[in-house]
Amino acid sequence: TYISQVLNHIKDKEVVLNVISKSGTTTETSISFRIFKQFMEEKYGEDAKNRIYATTDKARGTLKALADKMGYETFVIPDDIGGRYSVFTAVGLLPLALANVDIVALMKGSLDAYNDLNTDKLTENPAYQYAVTRRIWDKMGYKAEMFATYHLQLTMIAEWWKQLFGESEGKEQKGLLPVSVTYTTDLHSLGQYMQDGRRSMFETVISIKDTGYKVDVPFNKEDTDNLNYLTDKDLQYINKQALIATKKAHEDGDCPNALIEVENLSPYTFGYLVYFFEVACAISGYALGVNPFDQPGVEAYKTNLKKLLSK
């Protein structure tokens, strides 16, 4: 399993453990924490308590009680912030800081996004424009949104985006189905469906103007692969042309496209982009007529799972 692979990978490394749970009773998180807590105690003994951090409720819950009992340092999840909206709390910022990400620049990006998007004028608010576009295509009969990226670095952002919109809008038998692809890899699989399949979805494509990386295609004397016409062209340029070509092909095939273009992959841009999507999700949910900040459907599976496991 993945956990056993992680345990094997870290057995000879210096490790700290950060467990994130508001209640401390989420089954998947609690099981993982029990396993890694045992690993830490076996590896470090009494010092394990100085290497375990709990990001949890400020006063309540089983994890908070355990942290107080064991002497773990704690970080607070605000009462009024749900998990999918918690990037700008200790939930997101602590792991990012430990990964050596400039969280000051990240928060500057979110603050600038707050100021830029703090207007009800549709013509001046791109987050509102995105939200309205989603609702228009929903009313036109498109029932799924394909979030398409052309950079592997954005794969996990796409995973967060799916949780953000799926958990916020999927209520009362409403909401667009959020799915994602990483192009150009998925052009050889789901790209076929997007081109010729049911006209039930639209694409939201995110484009990075400058990735900060430059790798040129080298010259090959024999030109056995017939690619010398690309000599000295960098992969970022080729990737951008693939985006343009695919967008045109899918639009010609009656698959609507929305394009979100950002400057780079910096922490500042990440912070701005996260806030952009959070605002768009909230407005889109309200326009749909649902509460974008609760998740009653998630609790149903948790209840059933605990009943089954208790047997």
PDB file of all heavy atoms in Angstrom, residues 142-157:
ATOM      1  N   TYR A 142     -25.111  21.976 -20.647  1.00  0.00           N
ATOM      2  CA  TYR A 142     -23.811  21.362 -20.351  1.00  0.00           C
ATOM      3  C   TYR A 142     -23.767  21.031 -18.858  1.00  0.00           C
ATOM      4  O   TYR A 142     -23.918  21.919 -18.021  1.00  0.00           O
ATOM      5  CB  TYR A 142     -22.674  22.305 -20.721  1.00  0.00           C
ATOM      6  CG  TYR A 142     -22.610  22.593 -22.203  1.00  0.00           C
ATOM      7  CD1 TYR A 142     -23.176  23.770 -22.722  1.00  0.00           C
ATOM      8  CD2 TYR A 142     -22.021  21.701 -23.089  1.00  0.00           C
ATOM      9  CE1 TYR A 142     -23.138  24.045 -24.081  1.00  0.00           C
ATOM     10  CE2 TYR A 142     -21.979  21.966 -24.453  1.00  0.00           C
ATOM     11  CZ  TYR A 142     -22.536  23.134 -24.942  1.00  0.00           C
ATOM     12  OH  TYR A 142     -22.500  23.397 -26.290  1.00  0.00           O
ATOM     13  N   LYS A 143     -23.564  19.766 -18.537  1.00  0.00           N
ATOM     14  CA  LYS A 143     -23.697  19.318 -17.158  1.00  0.00           C
ATOM     15  C   LYS A 143     -22.374  18.936 -16.493  1.00  0.00           C
ATOM     16  O   LYS A 143     -22.362  18.505 -15.333  1.00  0.00           O
ATOM     17  CB  LYS A 143     -24.663  18.118 -17.094  1.00  0.00           C
ATOM     18  CG  LYS A 143     -26.069  18.472 -17.559  1.00  0.00           C
ATOM     19  CD  LYS A 143     -26.631  19.670 -16.786  1.00  0.00           C
ATOM     20  CE  LYS A 143     -28.007  20.085 -17.257  1.00  0.00           C
ATOM     21  NZ  LYS A 143     -28.485  21.327 -16.588  1.00  0.00           N
ATOM     22  N   ALA A 144     -21.276  19.069 -17.200  1.00  0.00           N
ATOM     23  CA  ALA A 144     -19.969  18.759 -16.618  1.00  0.00           C
ATOM     24  C   ALA A 144     -18.958  19.801 -17.067  1.00  0.00           C
ATOM     25  O   ALA A 144     -19.059  20.361 -18.161  1.00  0.00           O
ATOM     26  CB  ALA A 144     -19.503  17.360 -17.025  1.00  0.00           C
ATOM     27  N   GLU A 145     -17.992  20.070 -16.201  1.00  0.00           N
ATOM     28  CA  GLU A 145     -16.924  21.009 -16.507  1.00  0.00           C
ATOM     29  C   GLU A 145     -15.587  20.276 -16.454  1.00  0.00           C
ATOM     30  O   GLU A 145     -15.229  19.700 -15.425  1.00  0.00           O
ATOM     31  CB  GLU A 145     -16.921  22.173 -15.515  1.00  0.00           C
ATOM     32  CG  GLU A 145     -15.801  23.183 -15.764  1.00  0.00           C
ATOM     33  CD  GLU A 145     -15.866  24.372 -14.805  1.00  0.00           C
ATOM     34  OE1 GLU A 145     -16.658  24.318 -13.839  1.00  0.00           O
ATOM     35  OE2 GLU A 145     -15.131  25.353 -15.030  1.00  0.00           O
ATOM     36  N   MET A 146     -14.872  20.291 -17.570  1.00  0.00           N
ATOM     37  CA  MET A 146     -13.557  19.662 -17.645  1.00  0.00           C
ATOM     38  C   MET A 146     -12.487  20.728 -17.383  1.00  0.00           C
ATOM     39  O   MET A 146     -12.325  21.665 -18.164  1.00  0.00           O
ATOM     40  CB  MET A 146     -13.339  19.029 -19.023  1.00  0.00           C
ATOM     41  CG  MET A 146     -12.004  18.321 -19.169  1.00  0.00           C
ATOM     42  SD  MET A 146     -11.873  16.866 -18.126  1.00  0.00           S
ATOM     43  CE  MET A 146     -12.871  15.688 -19.061  1.00  0.00           C
ATOM     44  N   PHE A 147     -11.765  20.582 -16.284  1.00  0.00           N
ATOM     45  CA  PHE A 147     -10.692  21.508 -15.925  1.00  0.00           C
ATOM     46  C   PHE A 147      -9.408  20.986 -16.553  1.00  0.00           C
ATOM     47  O   PHE A 147      -8.881  19.945 -16.155  1.00  0.00           O
ATOM     48  CB  PHE A 147     -10.572  21.577 -14.406  1.00  0.00           C
ATOM     49  CG  PHE A 147      -9.619  22.623 -13.904  1.00  0.00           C
ATOM     50  CD1 PHE A 147      -9.976  23.961 -13.897  1.00  0.00           C
ATOM     51  CD2 PHE A 147      -8.374  22.273 -13.420  1.00  0.00           C
ATOM     52  CE1 PHE A 147      -9.114  24.938 -13.409  1.00  0.00           C
ATOM     53  CE2 PHE A 147      -7.499  23.228 -12.930  1.00  0.00           C
ATOM     54  CZ  PHE A 147      -7.863  24.561 -12.929  1.00  0.00           C
ATOM     55  N   ALA A 148      -8.912  21.697 -17.558  1.00  0.00           N
ATOM     56  CA  ALA A 148      -7.775  21.207 -18.345  1.00  0.00           C
ATOM     57  C   ALA A 148      -6.520  22.016 -18.047  1.00  0.00           C
ATOM     58  O   ALA A 148      -6.526  23.248 -18.128  1.00  0.00           O
ATOM     59  CB  ALA A 148      -8.099  21.279 -19.841  1.00  0.00           C
ATOM     60  N   THR A 149      -5.442  21.324 -17.693  1.00  0.00           N
ATOM     61  CA  THR A 149      -4.153  21.961 -17.482  1.00  0.00           C
ATOM     62  C   THR A 149      -3.140  21.369 -18.450  1.00  0.00           C
ATOM     63  O   THR A 149      -3.300  20.247 -18.936  1.00  0.00           O
ATOM     64  CB  THR A 149      -3.640  21.756 -16.045  1.00  0.00           C
ATOM     65  OG1 THR A 149      -3.272  20.376 -15.880  1.00  0.00           O
ATOM     66  CG2 THR A 149      -4.709  22.118 -15.037  1.00  0.00           C
ATOM     67  N   TYR A 150      -2.105  22.133 -18.725  1.00  0.00           N
ATOM     68  CA  TYR A 150      -1.031  21.685 -19.613  1.00  0.00           C
ATOM     69  C   TYR A 150       0.300  21.606 -18.875  1.00  0.00           C
ATOM     70  O   TYR A 150       1.353  21.560 -19.498  1.00  0.00           O
ATOM     71  CB  TYR A 150      -0.907  22.641 -20.808  1.00  0.00           C
ATOM     72  CG  TYR A 150      -1.984  22.433 -21.858  1.00  0.00           C
ATOM     73  CD1 TYR A 150      -3.282  22.901 -21.645  1.00  0.00           C
ATOM     74  CD2 TYR A 150      -1.720  21.763 -23.053  1.00  0.00           C
ATOM     75  CE1 TYR A 150      -4.273  22.710 -22.590  1.00  0.00           C
ATOM     76  CE2 TYR A 150      -2.710  21.568 -24.003  1.00  0.00           C
ATOM     77  CZ  TYR A 150      -3.981  22.050 -23.765  1.00  0.00           C
ATOM     78  OH  TYR A 150      -4.967  21.849 -24.708  1.00  0.00           O
ATOM     79  N   HIS A 151       0.238  21.551 -17.544  1.00  0.00           N
ATOM     80  CA  HIS A 151       1.451  21.534 -16.738  1.00  0.00           C
ATOM     81  C   HIS A 151       1.262  20.555 -15.584  1.00  0.00           C
ATOM     82  O   HIS A 151       0.287  20.651 -14.834  1.00  0.00           O
ATOM     83  CB  HIS A 151       1.741  22.930 -16.179  1.00  0.00           C
ATOM     84  CG  HIS A 151       1.758  24.000 -17.223  1.00  0.00           C
ATOM     85  ND1 HIS A 151       2.868  24.283 -17.989  1.00  0.00           N
ATOM     86  CD2 HIS A 151       0.778  24.854 -17.642  1.00  0.00           C
ATOM     87  CE1 HIS A 151       2.581  25.263 -18.833  1.00  0.00           C
ATOM     88  NE2 HIS A 151       1.332  25.618 -18.641  1.00  0.00           N
ATOM     89  N   LEU A 152       2.204  19.622 -15.440  1.00  0.00           N
ATOM     90  CA  LEU A 152       2.110  18.641 -14.364  1.00  0.00           C
ATOM     91  C   LEU A 152       2.093  19.320 -12.996  1.00  0.00           C
ATOM     92  O   LEU A 152       1.523  18.795 -12.046  1.00  0.00           O
ATOM     93  CB  LEU A 152       3.282  17.656 -14.443  1.00  0.00           C
ATOM     94  CG  LEU A 152       3.244  16.652 -15.600  1.00  0.00           C
ATOM     95  CD1 LEU A 152       4.526  15.834 -15.618  1.00  0.00           C
ATOM     96  CD2 LEU A 152       2.036  15.734 -15.483  1.00  0.00           C
ATOM     97  N   GLN A 153       2.716  20.508 -12.898  1.00  0.00           N
ATOM     98  CA  GLN A 153       2.739  21.222 -11.616  1.00  0.00           C
ATOM     99  C   GLN A 153       1.343  21.623 -11.154  1.00  0.00           C
ATOM    100  O   GLN A 153       1.135  21.935  -9.985  1.00  0.00           O
ATOM    101  CB  GLN A 153       3.612  22.480 -11.717  1.00  0.00           C
ATOM    102  CG  GLN A 153       5.076  22.207 -12.039  1.00  0.00           C
ATOM    103  CD  GLN A 153       5.354  22.367 -13.525  1.00  0.00           C
ATOM    104  OE1 GLN A 153       4.548  21.950 -14.348  1.00  0.00           O
ATOM    105  NE2 GLN A 153       6.484  22.964 -13.862  1.00  0.00           N
ATOM    106  N   LEU A 154       0.382  21.633 -12.077  1.00  0.00           N
ATOM    107  CA  LEU A 154      -0.977  22.055 -11.728  1.00  0.00           C
ATOM    108  C   LEU A 154      -1.911  20.880 -11.442  1.00  0.00           C
ATOM    109  O   LEU A 154      -3.093  21.081 -11.152  1.00  0.00           O
ATOM    110  CB  LEU A 154      -1.572  22.897 -12.864  1.00  0.00           C
ATOM    111  CG  LEU A 154      -0.842  24.205 -13.184  1.00  0.00           C
ATOM    112  CD1 LEU A 154      -1.508  24.904 -14.357  1.00  0.00           C
ATOM    113  CD2 LEU A 154      -0.820  25.120 -11.969  1.00  0.00           C
ATOM    114  N   THR A 155      -1.385  19.657 -11.506  1.00  0.00           N
ATOM    115  CA  THR A 155      -2.234  18.481 -11.331  1.00  0.00           C
ATOM    116  C   THR A 155      -2.944  18.489  -9.977  1.00  0.00           C
ATOM    117  O   THR A 155      -4.146  18.217  -9.885  1.00  0.00           O
ATOM    118  CB  THR A 155      -1.412  17.194 -11.482  1.00  0.00           C
ATOM    119  OG1 THR A 155      -0.836  17.149 -12.792  1.00  0.00           O
ATOM    120  CG2 THR A 155      -2.290  15.962 -11.292  1.00  0.00           C
ATOM    121  N   MET A 156      -2.205  18.795  -8.901  1.00  0.00           N
ATOM    122  CA  MET A 156      -2.834  18.777  -7.583  1.00  0.00           C
ATOM    123  C   MET A 156      -3.732  19.995  -7.358  1.00  0.00           C
ATOM    124  O   MET A 156      -4.670  19.929  -6.558  1.00  0.00           O
ATOM    125  CB  MET A 156      -1.767  18.684  -6.491  1.00  0.00           C
ATOM    126  CG  MET A 156      -0.961  17.398  -6.531  1.00  0.00           C
ATOM    127  SD  MET A 156      -1.997  15.896  -6.679  1.00  0.00           S
ATOM    128  CE  MET A 156      -2.915  15.934  -5.144  1.00  0.00           C
ATOM    129  N   ILE A 157      -3.460  21.090  -8.060  1.00  0.00           N
ATOM    130  CA  ILE A 157      -4.402  22.216  -8.015  1.00  0.00           C
ATOM    131  C   ILE A 157      -5.731  21.779  -8.627  1.00  0.00           C
ATOM    132  O   ILE A 157      -6.809  22.145  -8.139  1.00  0.00           O
ATOM    133  CB  ILE A 157      -3.831  23.447  -8.735  1.00  0.00           C
ATOM    134  CG1 ILE A 157      -2.646  24.014  -7.950  1.00  0.00           C
ATOM    135  CG2 ILE A 157      -4.906  24.518  -8.933  1.00  0.00           C
ATOM    136  CD1 ILE A 157      -2.020  25.243  -8.562  1.00  0.00           C
TER     137      ILE A 157
END
